[in-house]
């Protein structure tokens, strides 16, 4: 996972590069929570561009980080989510509270 | 239906989370003999990952155990079995419901069985408390895709 912090926007962007299963999620969670606590962002974005695999462990990871970021008043969004991953999120109903943003600002992330 | 088994494989491994990727990649490689689509392979990988993770987390919560994984190739389907000799499931019907989890504290989503059910064509769950759990899944692999793609 690559972490990008945009100070001016109080934005924390996590670019996930791992396959999102239970094994990897355990490690990503610790790193993400550490950064959220340190930065206290207003917004958290998870970039799924490099995620080639996700199972239900990914749902737990994202919902957990949404809750944690929420303690600091931050909202959470997802970008570059492929069809397969989108379907898994849809089944769980979490997209109602954690939206997927299509066509996210290409001027910043390209 | 043709129940002739064309090929078969079995592996056993320790209930370590590092084996989740190993398990799904092994089954995907084995299934490739049936010439599945990328979509079909993705469905199989996700479902195997769910079943194996369940054995690792829920069957053996505080100890190491053995997870067994086997697959059979039939004419136009793959049958996959994941089993453990762990805790077992008290109420299978309840466990299969979307969002049901006994490990909410570990950030489990309770969507494992729902995903297996959606991504595979058949899902059977057998379990006895204190004895173990066996999950059997079948995925149909559409045949003659190459003919369809020939104009
Ligand atoms: N192999 C297993 N051994 C014991 N209990 C299991 C097993 N697989 C599933 N379960 C039980 O079924 C519940 C639902 O499983 P699942 O849908 O995969 O959700 P999750 O893994 O997120 O809890 C689990 O919380 C657990 O109580
Ligand atoms: Mg599960």
């Amino acid at each position: 996972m690559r972490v990008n912090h945009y100070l001016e926007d109080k934005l924390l962007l996590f670019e996930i590069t791992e396959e999102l299963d239970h094994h990897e999620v355990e490690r990503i969670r610790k790193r993400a929570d550490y950064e959220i606590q340190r930065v206290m962002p207003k917004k958290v974005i998870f970039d799924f561009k490099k995620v080639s695999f996700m199972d239900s462990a990914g749902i737990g990871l994202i919902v957990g980080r949404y809750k944690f970021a929420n303690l600091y008043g931050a909202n959470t969004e997802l970008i570059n989510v492929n069809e397969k991953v989108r379907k898994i999120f849809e089944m769980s109903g979490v997209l109602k509270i954690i939206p997927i943003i299509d066509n996210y600002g290409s001027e910043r992330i390209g | 239906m043709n129940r002739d088994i064309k090929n078969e494989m079995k592996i056993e491994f320790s209930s370590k989370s590092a084996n989740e990727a190993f398990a799904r990649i092994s089954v995907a490689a084995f299934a490739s003999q049936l010439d599945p689509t990328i979509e079909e392979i993705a469905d199989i990988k996700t479902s195997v990952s769910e079943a194996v993770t369940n054995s690792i987390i829920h069957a053996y919560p505080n100890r190491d155990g053995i997870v067994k994984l086997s697959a059979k190739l039939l004419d136009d389907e793959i049958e996959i079995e994941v089993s453990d000799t762990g805790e077992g499931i008290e109420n299978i019907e309840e466990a299969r419901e979307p969002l049901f989890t006994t490990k909410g504290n570990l950030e489990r989503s309770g969507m494992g069985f729902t995903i297996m059910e959606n991504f595979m064509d058949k899902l059977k769950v057998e379990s006895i408390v204190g004895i173990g759990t066996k999950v059997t899944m079948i995925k149909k692999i559409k045949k003659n895709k190459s003919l369809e793609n020939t104009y």
Side-chain angles (χ1 to χ4, degrees):
Chain A
M1 183 172 71
R2 269 180 47 195
V3 182
N4 300 290
H5 177 204
Y6 300 92
L7 200 67
E8 67 279 19
D9 300 347
K10 290 194 143 240
L11 164 66
L12 194 52
L13 192 145
F14 296 115
E15 190 185 347
I16 303 172
T17 51
E18 294 84 353
E19 298 207 325
L20 280 183
D21 62 10
H22 156 252
H23 182 68
E24 296 292 350
V25 154
E26 300 266 299
R27 310 199 242 185
I28 294 172
R29 175 174 58 212
K30 285 195 192 95
R31 176 87 195 282
D33 283 354
Y34 169 79
E35 294 294 342
I36 291 168
Q37 217 159 8
R38 193 175 66 87
V39 166
M40 296 199 274
K42 278 279 148 257
K43 185 183 271 192
V44 173
I45 293 179
F46 285 94
D47 187 350
F48 278 74
K49 194 174 186 170
K50 301 219 168 86
V51 175
S52 58
F53 176 87
M54 185 181 97
D55 66 19
S56 69
I59 304 170
L61 173 76
I62 297 302
V63 172
R65 302 305 58 72
Y66 159 83
K67 286 182 182 162
F68 192 64
N70 208 246
L71 296 177
Y72 297 93
N75 56 344
T76 301
E77 294 173 356
L78 314 177
I79 60 170
N80 297 317
V81 178
N82 72 34
E83 273 316 303
K84 197 88 217 163
V85 171
R86 182 186 294 261
K87 193 176 167 199
I88 290 171
F89 278 125
E90 266 168 8
M91 273 189 225
S92 70
V94 303
L95 296 181
K96 280 175 235 144
I97 52 165
I98 309 164
I100 292 175
I101 308 298
D102 294 309
N103 312 314
Y104 178 79
S106 44
E107 74 282 355
R108 177 180 281 134
I109 299 142
Chain B
M1 191 165 55
N2 184 357
R3 293 296 292 175
D4 283 348
I5 296 165
K6 293 164 76 182
N7 200 355
E8 219 173 331
M9 70 89 143
K10 273 194 183 107
I11 37 183
E12 290 186 17
F13 48 88
S14 317
S15 58
K16 301 212 180 297
S17 64
N19 287 329
E20 290 156 8
F22 163 71
R24 64 177 177 266
I25 290 164
S26 302
V27 177
F30 186 67
S32 70
Q33 295 169 40
L34 289 178
D35 197 20
T37 61
I38 291 169
E39 179 75 18
E40 287 163 342
I41 282 288
D43 290 347
I44 290 169
K45 278 174 77 175
T46 311
S47 303
V48 168
S49 198
E50 294 294 350
V52 166
T53 301
N54 277 352
S55 289
I56 291 171
I57 302 176
H58 301 298
Y60 309 114
N62 305 310
R63 64 184 169 106
D64 275 349
I66 297 290
V67 181
K68 291 186 187 179
L69 168 65
S70 68
K72 292 186 180 97
L73 302 183
L74 295 107
D75 200 33
D76 59 349
E77 64 185 37
I78 179 167
E79 184 180 311
I80 301 160
E81 218 178 83
V82 176
S83 66
D84 59 66
T85 54
E87 302 283 293
I89 303 173
E90 231 161 81
N91 184 338
I92 296 174
E93 210 180 313
E94 183 182 50
R96 289 179 66 151
E97 274 177 24
L99 305 174
F100 178 87
T101 181
T102 50
K103 294 255 161 57
N105 56 325
L106 295 183
E107 297 195 346
R108 304 301 305 162
S109 63
M111 290 300 292
F113 281 132
T114 308
I115 285 172
M116 291 181 242
E117 212 155 271
N118 266 273
F119 286 8
M120 303 297 268
D121 291 297
K122 221 178 195 176
L123 173 69
K124 188 165 87 180
V125 184
E126 296 160 279
S127 190
I128 300 172
V129 173
I131 302 286
T133 301
K134 181 165 95 180
V135 171
T136 311
M137 309 181 269
I138 292 176
K139 179 79 176 170
K140 298 245 180 263
I141 306 295
K142 239 173 97 205
K143 281 184 79 171
N144 297 328
K145 284 183 281 259
S146 50
L147 287 179
E148 273 169 32
N149 294 336
T150 312
Y151 315 116

